[in-house]
Amino acid sequence: MKIYVIFLVVSLFSSAFSDEPSILEYPSTRHKNPDDGGDEVDLHCTSWRFAAETNNLAPWQTIPVECADYIKDYVLGKGYVTDLERVSEEASNFASSVVESSGDGKDIWIFDIDETLLSNLPYYIDHGFGLELFDHSEFDKWVERGVAPAIAPSLKLYQRVLDLGYKVFLLTGRKESHRLVTVENLISAGFQNWDKLILRSPDEQHKTATLYKSEKRDEMVKEGYRIRGNSGDQWSDLLGSSMSQRSFKLANPMYYIP
Amino acid sequence: MKIYVIFLVVSLFSSAFSDEPSILEYPSTRHKNPDDGGDEVDLHCTSWRFAAETNNLAPWQTIPVECADYIKDYVLGKGYVTDLERVSEEASNFASSVVESSGDGKDIWIFDIDETLLSNLPYYIDHGFGLELFDHSEFDKWVERGVAPAIAPSLKLYQRVLDLGYKVFLLTGRKESHRLVTVENLISAGFQNWDKLILRSPDEQHKTATLYKSEKRDEMVKEGYRIRGNSGDQWSDLLGSSMSQRSFKLANPMYYIP
C-alpha cells in the first residue's frame, strides 16, 4: 500500500513541474472478461459515477460496495487524470476568452482546495477510495501532515489564471485552525500568489458547505468583485447564491459534501 | 436506417407500458480491440461525455467527430437507458421522501419535454447523433409529425409523481404554435393529467432557455408553489433563479441548449 502512496506523491509532484501530464497507472486487479459479468459491473458503476457527478444522487455517503474496484481503477488509472486534464483545459480556454477584463483588479477566480488544488488520494488509498464512512479525526491527522500533492492539471490552470490577471480567491471548507498547515502545504505543492485564503471560522462549522460558500461569494460580489470562474470538485462549491459566470466541476467519485 | 427507427419506436413504446425496462440494443460497429486504439478513444470520449454532462463544456455545438461511433453506441446501447433508469429511480426516491407535503396542492414537479419525457432519437438517428449542426427547420418538421416516443423510465417517474399527489408542470422550449401537436404527442406516448403546459410565446423566442425557464419558475414561486423536483436533460432546464429543491439531470450527449 505504501508503495502506491510514494509513487503517487512523486509522480504528481514531478509532473506538476513538467509539461507531461501525470498519468497514475497501476496494474488493474479487476477481471475484464465479458463472460464473468465485468462489463455489466462497468456499465452499472459508470452509470453510478455519472449520477454522482451530475448531482443526481445527492446526498450520498459511501460508494457502492460493488463499485469499489471500479472506482479504484478509475482514480488510479487513466480515467481520473484524463477528466482532470479536460476540466483544466476547458477552464483555461474560458479564462482566456474573458477579454473584457477592465484591468480594475475586480475579475476573480475561485478555487476550492481539497480534490481541486490538492489531492488527498494518498489518504483515500489507505481508506477504501470512499468505501469507508468519512472519519473526521483520521482525515484531520492527514491534513495536519501537510503533504497533500498538487493536482497537476489544476496547478497549470492556477498559473494560467494568475498570468491572465485574475485575482485568485481560495475558498475551502477546511477550518481556520488549519490555516498554517494549509498555507505550507499549498506552497510546497507549487501554489503561490493567491489574493485571499478563506477558511471556515468556528461559528461556521455547522453550516452546509453550500450555504457557507454562498455567503462568502455574496460578500465578494458586494465588494464589487466579478466572479468569472469557480473550480471545485463538489456541487456545494459551485451552486447556491452569487454563482460564478462559469463553474467547473472536477471529478470526485470518492466523497460527497452537502 | 429505417429499421433502427421502427425498432426504436416500437421498443420504447411497448416498454413504456410494461414493467420491463427498455433496453435498446443493436450490434456495435466499433472495433474494441485494445491494440487498435479503441480503448484510448473510449477513454477520450467518456471524458468528453462527462465534461458535457457536468456542464464543463458549455456552450458546445456538435459532438467531436472522433466520438461519433462512441455516442451512437452509447445512445443505442445499454449505457443511455441505464443512465435514464437510474435518474428516474433517484428522482422517484426523492419524490417519495418529501413527506411534509401539506396537501394544499402547492407541491409541484417540473418536467422538460424533449429528451426528458419524449425521445427524439428517431430524428437523431437520421442526423448523426449530434454530429450535424442543429437544423431548426428540419427539427420542426420532425416535431410536427407528433410521433416522438416516450422515454419509458421518465413515464414511470411521471406516473409515480402524480400518484404521490404532486402537481406536474411541463416547461418546454417548444414554441406555442406547437401546442396542439405536442399535446397529441404526449397523450399518444402515455402522458396525461399534467396541470400546466408552458411553451414559449413569440416574444420569448430570443431569450436563452435558462432565462426563459427561470422567469417561468419565478412566476410559479410567486404564485405560492413549492418546486420540489425538476427533471431535464439540459442544465438550462435546471439552473438559474427559483431553482428546484432537487434537480435531476437526464443524460443527453447529442446536443446543448444555452
Side-chain angles (χ1 to χ4, degrees):
Chain A
M1 192 58 84
K2 287 295 164 197
I3 293 169
Y4 285 149
V5 176
I6 293 161
F7 169 68
L8 173 74
V9 173
V10 170
S11 77
L12 270 167
F13 265 118
S14 59
S15 65
F17 299 106
S18 78
D19 287 341
E20 280 300 295
S22 62
I23 305 290
L24 318 174
E25 279 185 80
Y26 83 119
S28 172
T29 50
R30 286 188 306 149
H31 299 291
K32 290 264 183 106
N33 185 336
D35 298 333
D36 69 359
D39 278 4
E40 286 300 314
V41 172
D42 270 17
L43 184 71
H44 166 75
C45 298
T46 300
S47 185
W48 179 85
R49 186 160 66 84
F50 161 81
E53 294 295 358
T54 50
N55 212 22
N56 287 341
L57 300 183
W60 56 274
Q61 293 206 301
T62 55
I63 64 173
V65 176
E66 67 277 14
C67 297
D69 283 342
Y70 171 93
I71 299 291
K72 179 180 170 187
D73 277 9
Y74 169 74
V75 293
L76 294 183
K78 287 184 186 174
Y80 184 41
V81 75
T82 302
D83 287 341
L84 293 174
E85 281 164 5
R86 183 178 285 273
V87 67
S88 167
E89 282 159 23
E90 294 295 335
S92 185
N93 290 343
F94 170 71
S96 313
S97 77
V98 181
V99 286
E100 333 91 282
S101 172
S102 59
D104 60 1
K106 291 294 191 182
D107 291 296
I108 64 171
W109 198 284
I110 300 174
F111 288 96
D112 167 56
I113 292 182
D114 292 294
E115 265 55 67
T116 300
L117 296 185
L118 297 179
S119 173
N120 298 303
L121 253 186
Y123 174 85
Y124 281 95
I125 284 171
D126 281 339
H127 292 84
F129 301 93
L131 201 58
E132 299 174 14
L133 268 179
F134 185 71
D135 182 330
H136 283 277
S137 114
E138 276 295 297
F139 189 73
D140 275 2
K141 282 184 210 160
W142 156 256
V143 165
E144 285 155 16
R145 286 176 56 201
V147 294
I151 290 179
S154 295
L155 179 53
K156 197 172 168 186
L157 171 66
Y158 182 94
Q159 290 168 329
R160 175 77 181 141
V161 158
L162 280 177
D163 289 347
L164 286 165
Y166 292 88
K167 278 197 161 63
V168 164
F169 287 9
L170 309 184
L171 178 51
T172 174
R174 289 187 174 198
K175 46 196 178 188
E176 192 63 51
S177 58
H178 283 156
R179 180 178 288 273
L180 187 60
V181 71
T182 299
V183 167
E184 287 172 350
N185 196 153
L186 284 165
I187 289 172
S188 70
F191 297 97
Q192 303 171 56
N193 300 323
W194 58 82
D195 287 277
K196 279 192 188 176
L197 167 58
I198 305 165
L199 302 100
R200 260 185 212 258
S201 63
D203 62 310
E204 287 165 337
Q205 294 296 332
H206 66 286
K207 293 179 182 171
T208 63
T210 306
L211 178 61
Y212 155 67
K213 295 197 169 186
S214 289
E215 288 176 353
K216 296 301 174 186
R217 286 195 305 270
D218 291 345
E219 288 171 23
M220 296 172 197
V221 169
K222 259 186 218 147
E223 289 164 18
Y225 292 108
R226 294 176 293 271
I227 308 175
R228 298 299 197 172
N230 186 3
S231 296
D233 64 293
Q234 299 289 325
W235 284 102
S236 54
D237 297 328
L238 309 173
L239 296 178
S241 54
S242 301
M243 281 172 61
S244 179
Q245 185 177 347
R246 278 283 298 274
S247 293
F248 295 92
K249 170 71 176 73
L250 282 77
N252 183 355
M254 298 182 292
Y255 60 88
Y256 169 85
I257 298 174
Chain B
M1 192 58 86
K2 286 297 165 196
I3 293 168
Y4 286 149
V5 176
I6 292 160
F7 170 67
L8 173 75
V9 172
V10 170
S11 76
L12 271 167
F13 265 118
S14 59
S15 64
F17 299 105
S18 78
D19 287 341
E20 281 300 295
S22 62
I23 306 289
L24 318 174
E25 279 184 81
Y26 84 118
S28 172
T29 50
R30 287 188 304 150
H31 298 290
K32 288 264 183 105
N33 185 336
D35 298 333
D36 70 359
D39 279 4
E40 286 299 315
V41 172
D42 270 17
L43 184 72
H44 166 76
C45 297
T46 300
S47 185
W48 179 84
R49 186 161 67 83
F50 273 75
E53 294 296 357
T54 51
N55 212 22
N56 287 340
L57 301 183
W60 57 275
Q61 293 207 301
T62 55
I63 64 173
V65 175
E66 68 276 16
C67 297
D69 284 342
Y70 171 94
I71 299 292
K72 178 181 170 185
D73 277 9
Y74 169 74
V75 294
L76 294 183
K78 288 184 185 173
Y80 183 42
V81 75
T82 302
D83 287 341
L84 293 174
E85 281 165 4
R86 182 178 286 272
V87 68
S88 168
E89 282 159 24
E90 293 296 334
S92 185
N93 291 342
F94 170 71
S96 313
S97 76
V98 182
V99 286
E100 333 91 284
S101 172
S102 60
D104 60 1
K106 291 294 191 181
D107 291 297
I108 63 170
W109 198 284
I110 300 175
F111 288 96
D112 168 56
I113 293 181
D114 292 294
E115 264 56 67
T116 300
L117 297 184
L118 297 179
S119 174
N120 298 303
L121 254 184
Y123 174 85
Y124 281 95
I125 284 171
D126 281 338
H127 291 85
F129 300 94
L131 200 59
E132 298 175 15
L133 268 179
F134 186 72
D135 182 329
H136 283 276
S137 113
E138 276 296 298
F139 189 73
D140 275 2
K141 281 184 211 161
W142 156 256
V143 166
E144 285 155 16
R145 286 176 56 201
V147 294
I151 290 179
S154 295
L155 179 53
K156 198 172 169 186
L157 171 66
Y158 181 94
Q159 290 169 328
R160 174 78 181 140
V161 158
L162 280 176
D163 288 347
L164 286 165
Y166 292 88
K167 279 198 159 64
V168 164
F169 288 9
L170 309 184
L171 178 51
T172 174
R174 288 186 176 198
K175 47 196 178 188
E176 192 64 51
S177 58
H178 283 155
R179 179 177 289 273
L180 187 60
V181 72
T182 299
V183 167
E184 287 173 350
N185 196 154
L186 284 165
I187 289 173
S188 71
F191 297 97
Q192 303 172 57
N193 300 324
W194 59 82
D195 287 276
K196 278 191 189 179
L197 167 58
I198 305 165
L199 303 100
R200 261 186 213 258
S201 62
D203 61 310
E204 288 165 335
Q205 294 296 332
H206 66 286
K207 293 179 183 172
T208 62
T210 306
L211 177 62
Y212 155 68
K213 295 198 169 186
S214 289
E215 288 176 352
K216 296 301 175 187
R217 286 195 305 271
D218 291 345
E219 288 171 23
M220 296 172 198
V221 169
K222 258 187 222 150
E223 290 164 16
Y225 292 109
R226 293 177 294 272
I227 308 174
R228 299 298 198 174
N230 186 2
S231 297
D233 64 293
Q234 299 289 324
W235 284 101
S236 54
D237 297 329
L238 308 173
L239 296 177
S241 55
S242 301
M243 281 171 62
S244 179
Q245 185 177 348
R246 279 282 298 276
S247 293
F248 295 92
K249 170 70 175 76
L250 282 77
N252 183 354
M254 297 182 293
Y255 60 88
Y256 169 85
I257 298 174

